[in-house]
Amino acid sequence: MDCLFCRIIAGEIPSAKVYENDKVYAFRDINPQAPTHVLIVPKEHVADASELVGEKAHIAADIFAAAAEIAKNEGLTGGFRIVTNCGDDACQSVHHLHFHLLGGAKMAERMS
Ligand code: DGP
């Protein structure tokens, strides 16, 4: 297994877990960009958001259901931002689909 996030999900590499169910794993980003910065990943290896079609489309719903629960657990009553980087132009650095859940402070209006 040479995928970093597959190894984190498997417990081979430690992470600060905040949420887990049978389809989704979530943990704190090692380099937080906001007071709350959680990475939400599918347990099934999917490279990026461009693969969320057909039989894998349900993964998007799985992720967003988890995101709502995590945001509630984290007390993000003021709102939050969800970002996923897809491919080189978006500077995706880990090629296992992940959604950044960011919150806990007022964010910039511009996203790029
Ligand atoms: P992206 O640039 O969208 O591919 O984001 C990858 C994120 O993954 C980045 O914010 C840093 C985070 N990250 C990379 N390696 C690790 C790790 O070993 N542990 C944790 N918790 N986060 C990591």
Side-chain angles (χ1 to χ4, degrees), residues 23 44 46 51-60 62:
K23 301 218 171 64
E44 177 183 346
V46 174
E51 294 190 7
L52 296 180
V53 295
E55 64 183 18
K56 293 186 177 172
H58 70 90
I59 290 171
D62 298 337

Side-chain angles (χ1 to χ4, degrees), residues 4-5 8 13-16 27-33 37 39 83-86 90-96 98 100:
L4 173 64
F5 287 174
I8 285 177
I13 295 173
S15 66
F27 55 103
R28 298 198 190 282
D29 194 290
I30 203 167
N31 182 25
Q33 306 292 314
H37 186 169
L39 298 175
V83 176
T84 190
N85 295 320
C86 181
C91 300
Q92 182 181 5
S93 62
V94 180
H95 295 277
H96 180 128
H98 51 282
H100 300 258

Side-chain angles (χ1 to χ4, degrees), residues 1-11 13 25 27 29 39-43 45 93-99:
M1 195 159 32
D2 61 0
C3 169
L4 173 64
F5 287 174
C6 283
R7 295 186 70 194
I8 285 177
I9 293 162
I13 295 173
Y25 188 83
F27 55 103
D29 194 290
L39 298 175
I40 310 172
V41 306
K43 287 188 173 176
H45 182 89
S93 62
V94 180
H95 295 277
H96 180 128
L97 175 67
H98 51 282
F99 287 71

